[in-house]
Amino acid sequence: MEQQNQIFETLSPTRLFFRCALPSMVSMAVAALYTIADGVFVGRFIGSDALAAINLVMPVLSISFSLADMVAVGSSVQIAIHLGEKKELEASRIFTVCSLLIVGISAVVGVIGYFGAEPLVRLMGADAEVTALSVEYIKVYAVFAPFIMVFFAVDNYLRICGRTHYSMALNIMTSLLNILLDYLFLGVLRLGIGSAALASCIGLSLGTLLGYWPFLRKKLQLRFVRGKIRLRQITNILFNGSSEFFSNIAGSILMIILNSILLHLAGSMAVAAFSIVLYVDSIMASLLYGMTDSMQPAISYCYGAKLRGRMFAFEKRVLLAGALLSGITLAGMRLGGQGIISLFIRENDPALLEMSLRAMELFSFTYLTGWIGVGLSAFFTAVNRPGTSLGISIGRALFFPLLALAVLVPLLGVDGVWLTSAASSTLTAVTAAVFLARFLYGQKNEGRPEPPSR
């Protein structure tokens, strides 16, 4: 196995970017495809009410997973920095404690989710049929929570240890299994919406088991060890992961607000239309987040090893790739929207097709600037600047969208909801650029000039 110093210190920035980013992006794209497969099967075999139900509960699921993600992201930064400082035993202690911590958090979340699902969904204002579908869907996830929430953490830990291809294969396997089970449960057996959740949970549970298998065999730099870590260190881990946590929380709260507004303005059809747009958007979001997450260990390692030139070289490649991917997505949404949307709806539903197409056309402007906030927020997390990352994330996920909603909805109605993401992404990009300028100025003042990158 190649050691981290061989990978992160000697490989050229471009080669390392493709080595780390491409497997992660492929695995995340496949994961997004299985999410889309859920939407296609649910929309075609159950109907638009089921699509609306999934969109209503998805923010609740995101909040649940964000707790595990907070520990996973924060610990990944600390693990990579400690490996950069050649402190492998301390890195393994962090890995061990945080893996167990995530399992404990997941068990508590599962209990709360199972018994609190129905009253929570009722608060959103959906009708009885959509509420029943939502509760059935979320209860399946609640039962499997201790087995599936840790999957996304082990994916991070595998990449830190250089097992990017194994991580990619794992994500592809779980995604394809989910699609196969979706087809079996919904397309062949014609089971209910709970079977769509069951398909996802079976795939993720198997992924968790296989993900931890190399660590259990003690074949990687990180391994399960005895010992504790300091409370101060746990606090730092939680704080450093707080940007992703609060970003997910804020995004979930925003989705609840958006769904409520859409229900008020145009009913459950608008929620279903928005869910279709978000399914398509999930591919681009997965590519961006997969790319930025995959480069976080390299950036954190170089930050710990004081290789500032390489650190910035990596981030330049992240931003350039983000701009290219966003441009392609913008063109695809505007030129091929009708063909994409038709996959999710029945042929006898032209009203949903028309509304979804309008939503996608206006939402697509998000990709003009959205990649900037995502790329820079992840960068500040990687260099242990959780406060800055948190500020960008909260602005992108909640503050700027609420500001845009307050201005655009009274003026444009439902169109204002579709344009909210584009407006908030522009404001986030400006804010992130200001933070980056301040960070670069601070690096120069520290007396560590950036060497030229290759």
Side-chain angles (χ1 to χ4, degrees):
M1 183 190 68
E2 292 182 89
Q3 298 295 312
Q4 293 300 312
N5 57 358
Q6 294 176 315
I7 298 173
F8 294 154
E9 294 184 14
T10 61
L11 208 61
S12 73
T14 299
R15 287 185 62 194
L16 184 63
F17 174 81
F18 284 110
R19 178 185 179 124
C20 294
L22 284 182
S24 179
M25 291 168 69
V26 169
S27 62
M28 293 293 284
V30 174
L33 286 176
Y34 93 66
T35 303
I36 290 175
D38 275 348
V40 171
F41 284 116
V42 167
R44 284 193 168 269
F45 293 108
I46 304 179
S48 60
D49 280 345
L51 276 178
I54 292 178
N55 199 40
L56 282 178
V57 301
M58 200 54 67
V60 179
L61 294 175
S62 296
I63 290 174
S64 302
F65 279 102
S66 67
L67 291 166
D69 198 40
M70 175 174 60
V71 180
V73 172
S75 62
S76 296
V77 171
Q78 289 298 315
I79 288 169
I81 289 175
H82 278 82
L83 290 176
E85 296 170 343
K86 318 302 180 186
K87 300 176 180 177
E88 291 192 10
L89 180 59
E90 183 65 20
S92 290
R93 285 200 186 102
I94 296 171
F95 159 73
T96 303
V97 170
C98 289
S99 293
L100 295 174
L101 179 60
I102 291 171
V103 173
I105 291 172
S106 303
V108 174
V109 167
V111 173
I112 295 173
Y114 188 87
F115 292 102
E118 185 168 355
L120 182 60
V121 173
R122 289 187 182 279
L123 287 175
M124 299 181 190
D127 60 38
E129 183 175 354
V130 173
T131 297
L133 291 169
S134 299
V135 172
E136 180 183 350
Y137 189 83
I138 202 171
K139 280 189 172 183
V140 177
Y141 273 94
V143 170
F144 280 86
F147 308 102
I148 62 177
M149 288 174 64
V150 73
F151 173 77
F152 302 101
V154 72
D155 188 55
N156 285 353
Y157 300 147
L158 285 169
R159 292 198 302 268
I160 289 173
C161 292
R163 298 295 298 271
T164 54
H165 289 91
Y166 184 78
S167 172
M168 177 183 70
L170 198 62
N171 278 280
I172 291 174
M173 182 274 296
T174 57
S175 301
L176 293 179
L177 177 59
N178 187 10
I179 293 173
L180 177 63
L181 292 175
D182 267 337
Y183 173 74
L184 175 63
F185 293 159
L186 297 176
V188 177
L189 300 178
R190 301 298 177 100
L191 302 178
I193 193 173
S195 66
L198 180 61
S200 298
C201 291
I202 291 174
L204 291 173
S205 297
L206 181 60
T208 296
L209 176 62
L210 296 178
Y212 273 107
W213 183 246
F215 297 104
L216 294 171
R217 295 181 63 203
K218 300 182 179 180
K219 297 293 185 180
L220 304 179
Q221 280 180 291
L222 296 176
R223 58 192 64 195
F224 288 101
V225 298
R226 295 181 180 273
K228 303 177 181 179
I229 61 177
R230 298 184 302 274
L231 179 60
R232 180 178 180 183
Q233 201 165 27
I234 293 178
T235 303
N236 182 267
I237 287 169
L238 296 178
F239 187 41
N240 210 1
S242 63
S243 61
E244 278 69 22
F245 171 71
F246 284 110
S247 175
N248 287 331
I249 292 290
S252 299
I253 292 173
L254 177 65
M255 279 301 303
I256 292 172
I257 294 172
L258 287 171
N259 286 333
S260 299
I261 292 174
L262 290 172
L263 283 171
H264 174 72
L265 292 176
S268 61
M269 181 182 294
V271 177
F274 196 35
S275 71
I276 293 172
V277 174
L278 293 180
Y279 275 126
V280 179
D281 172 65
S282 67
I283 294 182
M284 179 58 192
S286 296
L287 290 173
L288 274 179
Y289 284 111
M291 177 181 63
T292 56
D293 286 351
S294 70
M295 293 307 297
Q296 177 265 311
I299 293 173
S300 295
Y301 182 95
C302 291
Y303 180 76
K306 296 181 172 56
L307 301 173
R308 298 299 195 261
R310 289 179 64 79
M311 178 182 76
F312 288 119
F314 296 148
E315 182 61 17
K316 289 176 184 176
R317 284 153 179 79
V318 168
L319 294 176
L320 286 172
L324 177 62
L325 289 171
S326 296
I328 294 172
T329 306
L330 173 63
M333 276 193 168
R334 297 195 66 80
L335 298 176
Q338 182 166 343
I340 297 170
I341 292 168
S342 297
L343 296 173
F344 293 84
I345 61 178
R346 295 169 173 170
E347 295 180 359
N348 60 350
D349 204 346
L352 179 57
L353 174 62
E354 183 181 354
M355 179 174 285
S356 300
L357 185 59
R358 177 64 173 174
M360 182 172 287
E361 288 176 347
L362 297 180
F363 184 90
S364 66
F365 291 115
T366 301
Y367 298 106
L368 292 173
T369 56
W371 51 276
I372 299 174
V374 174
L376 292 182
S377 176
F379 172 76
F380 285 116
T381 295
V383 298
N384 206 22
R385 297 292 192 281
T388 303
S389 181
L390 177 60
I392 296 172
S393 298
I394 291 293
R396 182 182 76 245
L398 185 63
F399 179 74
F400 293 139
L402 289 179
L403 179 62
L405 277 174
V407 174
L408 296 176
V409 171
L411 294 175
L412 303 175
V414 174
D415 282 352
V417 178
W418 310 143
L419 284 169
T420 291
S421 180
S424 62
S425 293
T426 301
L427 295 172
T428 301
V430 173
T431 303
V434 171
F435 280 128
L436 179 63
R438 291 180 59 187
F439 179 78
L440 293 174
Y441 180 77
Q443 290 292 296
K444 291 181 180 179
N445 285 348
E446 287 181 10
R448 292 194 292 266
E450 177 188 350
S453 60
R454 287 177 285 175

